[in-house]
Amino acid sequence: MNFSVEYLIRFQHCDPAGIVFYPRYYEMLNQVVEDWFAEGLDWSWADMARQRSEGVPLVTARCDFLESSQIGDRVTFTLDLTHIGRKSFSLTITGTCGDSTRLRAEMVLVYVHTTDKMRAIPLPGELRARMQPYLKQ
Amino acid sequence: MNFSVEYLIRFQHCDPAGIVFYPRYYEMLNQVVEDWFAEGLDWSWADMARQRSEGVPLVTARCDFLESSQIGDRVTFTLDLTHIGRKSFSLTITGTCGDSTRLRAEMVLVYVHTTDKMRAIPLPGELRARMQPYLKQ
Amino acid sequence: MNFSVEYLIRFQHCDPAGIVFYPRYYEMLNQVVEDWFAEGLDWSWADMARQRSEGVPLVTARCDFLESSQIGDRVTFTLDLTHIGRKSFSLTITGTCGDSTRLRAEMVLVYVHTTDKMRAIPLPGELRARMQPYLKQ
Amino acid sequence: MNFSVEYLIRFQHCDPAGIVFYPRYYEMLNQVVEDWFAEGLDWSWADMARQRSEGVPLVTARCDFLESSQIGDRVTFTLDLTHIGRKSFSLTITGTCGDSTRLRAEMVLVYVHTTDKMRAIPLPGELRARMQPYLKQ
């Protein structure tokens, strides 16, 4: 299983050269993970933040920007879960528009308690179980 | 030679967990390069964009987020130029606050003509010459 | 006729106090107008920007923030067109979540040619005609 | 007394038309107030947020965008305090670049306790005293 979502490239994402300003791509990558948690894992960030005081900050990201995107493009982001660790997990997210691959990101996120100095804690068992089907063989 | 600049972590950079939201870090990384061009290389992005129709989009970035930053922190970003290619260049940017290293990024940027489909072009000789002293041995 | 669209309040919209950071609301207001142009008027900003070199910058905005929004809220934005001038038009946008009105904005936007120093120009007749049904009596 | 601060218009503030995207102006307006609190009132938002669980969300803003700003412009923002209420205060912020007035904003902010449902509370006496000299006659 993987998870896909399509975002419209909007005016607000684009820079004076008319292409997506790359920090906006990172906002989209964050949004893909947020949507996967809500829709794919039924583990909303609203509940995670407000009821559990937990979160999943980014530890490492490597991103290759292969072709540029412009206002009006519809970019499909596909998320693959590549590793589930004890306190962290790894993802690959690819953004495509038609035949064109726009970007490819590899990210490691860690599960933390937000009110205890962002200390890493083990992934809750229930969350881990819901992630399992997405783990790429 | 290297280039350093200090930014204040502001309210607007922080997320509900009270730490810098990572897309804001990428805005800061972009800003470090912009400041280096303006102050270190005397090659302002205003002139580059408006008079030359040129720009330096990001091709690849790898970033490790080592410790979190909070509102009120003053983070010093230090830029090292690690490679000058024919049409691209590579940077390492490290963000520190006191003894704490907050992030380390490796980035490759390419020199392009913005009105010709973002086509990569050779770095102008004058710009290359100004970059030279920053090249890390 | 009016135009409505629902946006999810996301992690990236919220500040350290856990509520929407108001510049993010202005991004949403901009997005409502962009969606209205695309879906309500069939006048996409992609074509307007790239093929016509035209745009609709904001001239005046008054916004009242009545109740705060949090991550996970779904806010419905309703747009009413209150005036069509020769070169500008006026909107009211209201954001609600259930019974709670979150914000109410009155905005004036002007139609401009972007490559000629943002000079205001008359609204194209075709666009004016498509706006007409949305004009509030 | 009033408070002034100059910001450089950066690449990241500008839209595909090459001018400041207005939500970025609202980020700057927020930053002006943040800088005034830190430098003019010695009441940092870091302490206010983290030690006091207090904040100053925006209640109402009216902003007129008079002339556009481009990358490389240096805009001076001047803040005048026009009213101090029991739980709120009113500001006018004007942004100028040379002889050109870029924007003028009137804002009302309220003092709140952030962990108690953003409930408005009286301005602390010490803060009120520090604001007093800035009150426009």
Side-chain angles (χ1 to χ4, degrees), chain A residues 49-64:
Chain A
R50 294 196 293 195
Q51 293 170 22
R52 304 179 65 108
S53 298
E54 293 168 355
V56 284
L58 184 66
V59 174
T60 297
R62 182 196 155 104
C63 193
D64 296 300

Side-chain angles (χ1 to χ4, degrees), chain D residues 4-59:
Chain D
S4 281
V5 62
E6 183 190 280
Y7 298 143
L8 173 65
I9 301 302
R10 293 175 169 281
F11 186 81
Q12 70 196 65
H13 300 131
C14 296
D15 67 17
I19 62 168
V20 171
F21 179 54
Y22 68 84
R24 306 295 160 245
Y25 268 139
Y26 286 96
E27 293 182 25
M28 292 179 217
L29 291 171
N30 183 69
Q31 206 171 304
V32 173
V33 182
E34 186 179 20
D35 285 346
W36 175 53
F37 266 68
E39 297 163 27
L41 304 176
D42 192 21
W43 195 275
S44 84
W45 284 13
D47 292 349
M48 185 169 64
R50 294 196 294 195
Q51 293 170 21
R52 304 179 65 107
S53 297
E54 293 169 355
V56 284
L58 184 65
V59 174

